[in-house]
Amino acid sequence: AYVLVNTTVWNEYRTRLSNEAFQADYEKALLRFETTPQPTVVDVRLNVNIVPHQPMLETRGTYVLENDTGAPLREVHVRFDRDLEVCALTVQGAWAKKTYGRFNYRIFAFDTPMLPGERRTLAFTTQLTEKGFRNRGEVTGVVGNGTFVNSFEITPQIGMTRDQLLRDHAARRRNGLDYDLRPPPLGDQAARAHNYLGHVGWVTSDITVTTDADQTPIAPGYKDRDVTRGGRRTAHFVNTTPILQFFSIQSARYQAKTERYKGVDLTVYYDAQHPRNVERMLTALKAGLDYYQANFSPYQFRQVRILEFPDYARFAQSFAGTFPWSEGLGFIADYRDPEKIDLVTYIAAHELAHQWWAHQIVSADEQGATSLTETLAQYSALRVMRRMYGPDKIRKFLKFELDSYLRARGGQTIDEQPLEKVEPDQGYIHYRKGSLVMYRLAEEIGEDKVNAALRRLLAQYAFKGAPYPTSLDLVAALRAEAPADKQQLITDLFEKITLYDLQAKSATVHRRPDGRWDVTLKVTARKMYADGKGKETDAPMAEELWVGAFDAKPGAGKFSSANVLDLERRPIRTGQQTVTLVTARRPTWVGVDPYNELIDRNSDDNLTQPK
């Protein structure tokens, strides 16, 4: 009886199939509103009251809406998260025309049309809470120690998006939906009216957060007031610089380590039991700030804050000047073993890079969108890692990305897309393949030219609204910097699905009379173009690749530049060929593309031990 009351009376009993049905019905009822013109939020004012141990989070707020569509608006569509209780909602000069109660979606009609450039106010009160326990899908964002919610979970969103739609093809078929739901195609001009987060624009913010007295409240912006009274602590945060209307609120019993670095306050908020990687995080932030500001543009804030949250989920996420990061992914992980990839540094550098790639420039809602955010954040992090660890240690990171990409592409149920047309659910492309593509491009045309192209994008689109940039803009900027003989490389990397099959067949070494060593390496090479379903077609190959000889295996153990006996760029063509090198010491490993810069279907055979 106790379980029954909790899971079916106090809470809605949900199953996988019932959740699928909800999502299907949501799409059938609301997807038709996806292209309905909507105003944009330009100012956010919130008062957030957190009762961690209840758990309960109440939000009172106002939005300033602006009609930036260029035409009069007769309606505004307001949606909320499925589990968020809407206690009050009003729109200035509008009345409730239609409510889809099951889907927490409302349509308001204006008494008089909202003219271009006109502003109106939306006011609301919401409550996120949980009574007892559910059979599944518990509220883990508000907890006794470690509350972390994002603004989409506690505040209204404007307009219809595809966030809550079914993605799985089999589930879509079961529920009578089109098998293939794809984003707008690359080049769709209408899709440039919105970014890939939806009807989300650049806003100023004024946020007050109240929590228990022994916890630290955090919100975007600069804190100008912090008062504790009657067992409750209230802090006020203001941001006058533009931020995306997608941010986070945190509250926990934190320890804090702060360092001021070149005018920026770097702070890690962490559980007192989890100090292990705090210094590593701070070091990564310093390295990232140095690289990104020197090569991209100035950092837009005076602070960077990393905040630990409980391991109910395992990810890190970048918001304006704030990076929530789960304890299991970064705070309790042990990366002291040099054989392990230093994911703490890598993640810190990646999330900081998002302050440029998403929080300065945000891409249009069409194919290729995440190549401007996730791919560029991956590239940025790899450059930081290369600076910190040196080019001879980067193989470990590149091989991790390569193997992850190759494993994932074999199990996909939708067509693989070239990087230029990557779709939101294809993380194996925009993360894994994107790292390899951008790293190789920088090695071949020069890091300075790639960064010049990225500076060009920032100068044109940073902190601006529609029309938002696309991957076509990225590729065009890269082409403008690349020499003529590298234009085909850009085509192969961004516009095609290009695979290689390189193999170090055998190697021999012979001592010369002068004491040096002649190294003879036999290499076979093949280049292929694949279509979205994996069908491969041979392509002629004639490219300059790295060929090297080493006295330790690249990427293993403490391998460093001291182990590199010779490393040269040599022309490699389709078929079998012989490459010769001369080294001062006898090599124990010889190979082609030894640092795994290419997308090679089996990179393990790129190295061989000579006889």
Side-chain angles (χ1 to χ4, degrees):
Y2 177 68
V3 172
L4 185 69
V5 167
N6 273 269
T7 59
T8 66
V9 178
W10 291 344
N11 295 286
E12 179 184 359
Y13 191 89
R14 295 175 183 171
T15 66
R16 179 177 60 85
L17 292 178
S18 70
N19 283 336
E20 282 184 8
F22 174 87
Q23 291 176 279
D25 293 344
Y26 181 90
E27 178 173 339
K28 293 170 185 175
L30 302 175
L31 185 58
R32 58 197 172 99
F33 299 130
E34 181 182 24
T35 58
T36 302
Q38 294 294 296
T40 299
V41 179
V42 295
D43 182 72
V44 173
R45 294 178 181 270
L46 301 180
N47 194 315
V48 180
N49 182 42
I50 305 172
V51 185
H53 297 281
Q54 190 165 335
M56 188 274 289
L57 186 151
E58 183 182 67
T59 306
R60 299 177 183 271
T62 59
Y63 286 171
V64 175
L65 306 177
E66 181 179 290
N67 179 2
D68 59 357
T69 66
L73 293 175
R74 298 185 179 279
E75 295 180 347
V76 59
H77 292 226
V78 185
R79 76 181 193 279
F80 296 85
D81 188 81
R82 180 182 181 183
D83 292 318
L84 188 64
E85 181 182 353
V86 181
C87 305
L89 178 63
T90 60
V91 179
Q92 181 184 355
W95 54 279
K97 175 182 176 181
K98 175 76 172 178
T99 297
Y100 295 86
R102 182 184 175 202
F103 306 124
N104 230 353
Y105 192 101
R106 294 157 176 81
I107 299 175
F108 286 83
F110 291 114
D111 295 324
T112 58
M114 187 178 184
L115 300 177
E118 186 179 354
R119 292 187 173 190
R120 306 247 182 127
T121 301
L122 179 153
F124 60 91
T125 301
T126 65
Q127 191 173 96
L128 178 64
T129 188
E130 185 172 64
K131 183 176 182 181
F133 58 85
R134 304 176 182 179
N135 69 304
R136 63 187 297 156
E138 294 83 2
V139 174
T140 57
V142 184
V143 295
N145 184 32
T147 291
F148 159 43
V149 294
N150 68 54
S151 56
F152 287 2
E153 296 173 297
I154 62 172
T155 64
Q157 301 304 306
I158 304 301
M160 173 62 187
T161 69
R162 300 186 179 190
D163 292 348
Q164 298 184 45
L165 304 191
L166 275 173
R167 303 290 185 183
D168 182 78
H169 283 198
R172 293 185 63 80
R173 190 183 290 116
R174 278 195 300 270
N175 287 277
L177 300 173
D178 289 342
Y179 172 80
D180 212 8
L181 181 69
R182 310 299 284 267
L186 180 62
D188 185 333
Q189 290 302 308
R192 298 188 67 180
H194 310 293
N195 61 59
Y196 79 111
L197 293 173
H199 298 272
V200 172
W202 301 100
V203 301
T204 51
S205 65
D206 183 307
I207 301 175
T208 300
V209 183
T210 300
T211 186
D212 287 351
D214 62 345
Q215 299 201 8
T216 302
I218 301 290
Y222 303 104
K223 183 167 63 176
D224 64 5
R225 187 172 70 251
D226 193 339
V227 178
T228 301
R229 184 181 298 113
R232 303 285 287 165
R233 182 177 180 181
T234 300
H236 180 237
F237 301 85
V238 177
N239 225 331
T240 56
T241 55
I243 66 171
L244 283 175
Q245 187 214 335
F246 181 47
F247 48 83
S248 62
I249 305 290
Q250 284 87 28
S251 171
R253 293 189 295 275
Y254 284 125
Q255 295 290 312
K257 176 67 182 293
T258 299
E259 291 188 24
R260 188 163 182 80
Y261 185 71
K262 297 184 178 179
V264 179
D265 289 326
L266 313 178
T267 306
V268 179
Y269 292 89
Y270 61 97
D271 187 288
Q273 302 174 84
H274 304 155
R276 174 182 290 158
N277 292 315
V278 170
E279 290 296 335
R280 192 181 294 256
M281 292 173 179
L282 290 170
T283 298
L285 292 178
K286 295 173 189 175
L289 282 174
D290 285 345
Y291 187 87
Y292 306 153
Q293 295 197 103
N295 290 282
F296 303 148
S297 67
Y299 179 58
Q300 65 267 45
F301 303 115
R302 302 190 305 272
Q303 59 188 7
V304 180
R305 295 166 294 175
I306 292 175
L307 300 108
E308 182 179 6
F309 68 87
D311 205 26
Y312 294 113
R314 189 161 291 191
F315 65 88
Q317 191 169 11
S318 186
F319 297 94
T322 304
F323 317 150
W325 193 337
S326 69
E327 61 178 309
L329 183 62
F331 285 85
I332 63 174
D334 186 352
Y335 294 111
R336 291 173 294 183
D337 184 349
E339 289 291 323
K340 289 184 177 181
I341 293 176
D342 181 5
L343 283 179
V344 168
T345 299
Y346 194 64
I347 292 169
H350 175 99
E351 298 306 330
L352 179 62
H354 274 309
Q355 299 301 294
W356 284 261
W357 316 120
H359 291 284
Q360 288 194 28
I361 184 173
V362 61
S363 44
D365 184 22
E366 61 183 58
Q367 285 181 317
T370 49
S371 68
L372 280 168
T373 52
E374 299 301 349
T375 295
L376 295 185
Q378 289 288 91
Y379 162 75
S380 305
L382 273 173
R383 300 317 298 184
V384 171
M385 298 296 287
R386 194 179 189 276
R387 288 282 180 96
M388 294 179 67
Y389 286 95
D392 302 300
K393 287 186 176 292
I394 207 69
R395 181 184 192 272
K396 186 179 298 183
F397 301 99
L398 295 177
K399 182 165 175 56
F400 173 81
E401 300 287 59
L402 173 62
D403 291 346
S404 298
Y405 165 67
L406 293 173
R407 281 194 300 268
R409 71 186 296 264
Q412 285 298 298
T413 58
I414 63 173
D415 293 355
E416 180 179 355
Q417 297 294 325
L419 179 59
E420 183 183 64
K421 296 182 178 180
V422 62
E423 299 185 359
D425 294 333
Q426 296 181 316
Y428 72 104
I429 299 175
H430 62 232
Y431 287 121
R432 309 308 171 202
K433 180 182 178 179
S435 297
L436 298 160
V437 163
M438 292 299 297
Y439 188 87
R440 183 183 177 192
L441 185 64
E443 292 298 292
E444 296 224 14
I445 74 170
E447 176 184 6
D448 58 335
K449 292 186 179 300
V450 171
N451 291 342
L454 300 185
R455 286 195 297 274
R456 180 187 310 227
L457 275 181
L458 285 163
Q460 186 173 358
Y461 290 107
F463 305 115
K464 294 181 180 178
Y468 291 98
T470 74
S471 58
L472 294 174
D473 297 299
L474 170 62
V475 171
L478 293 169
R479 287 194 184 280
E481 295 293 335
D485 64 342
K486 297 299 182 183
Q487 296 297 318
Q488 181 59 45
L489 174 65
I490 292 177
T491 299
D492 288 348
L493 294 178
F494 288 88
E495 299 172 7
K496 293 181 179 290
I497 303 171
T498 308
L499 304 169
Y500 295 86
D501 191 357
L502 303 172
Q503 185 177 4
K505 298 289 289 186
S506 64
T508 58
V509 295
H510 297 284
R511 189 74 175 265
R512 294 162 53 117
D514 62 4
R516 295 186 295 169
W517 294 83
D518 286 325
V519 182
T520 303
L521 173 65
K522 291 185 177 181
V523 174
T524 60
R526 183 185 175 204
K527 178 179 177 179
M528 297 144 284
Y529 293 135
D531 65 14
K533 299 186 183 300
K535 181 181 178 181
E536 296 170 357
T537 304
D538 283 310
M541 178 178 177
E543 304 178 23
E544 281 198 351
L545 305 179
W546 290 114
V547 178
F550 316 90
D551 63 7
K553 188 175 183 180
K558 297 181 179 180
F559 179 86
S560 70
S561 58
N563 302 115
V564 180
L565 306 183
D566 193 17
L567 186 62
E568 304 177 21
R569 280 203 173 268
R570 295 292 186 87
I572 301 295
R573 66 184 188 280
T574 301
Q576 184 167 310
Q577 56 240 277
T578 300
V579 181
T580 59
L581 303 170
V582 178
T583 63
R585 303 193 303 274
R586 188 186 193 283
T588 57
W589 291 91
V590 183
V592 58
D593 187 32
Y595 293 165
N596 295 135
E597 293 178 10
L598 273 64
I599 299 176
D600 190 331
R601 293 190 306 178
N602 180 14
S603 63
D604 291 330
D605 61 9
N606 289 14
L607 295 166
T608 186
Q609 292 185 284
K611 298 179 181 178

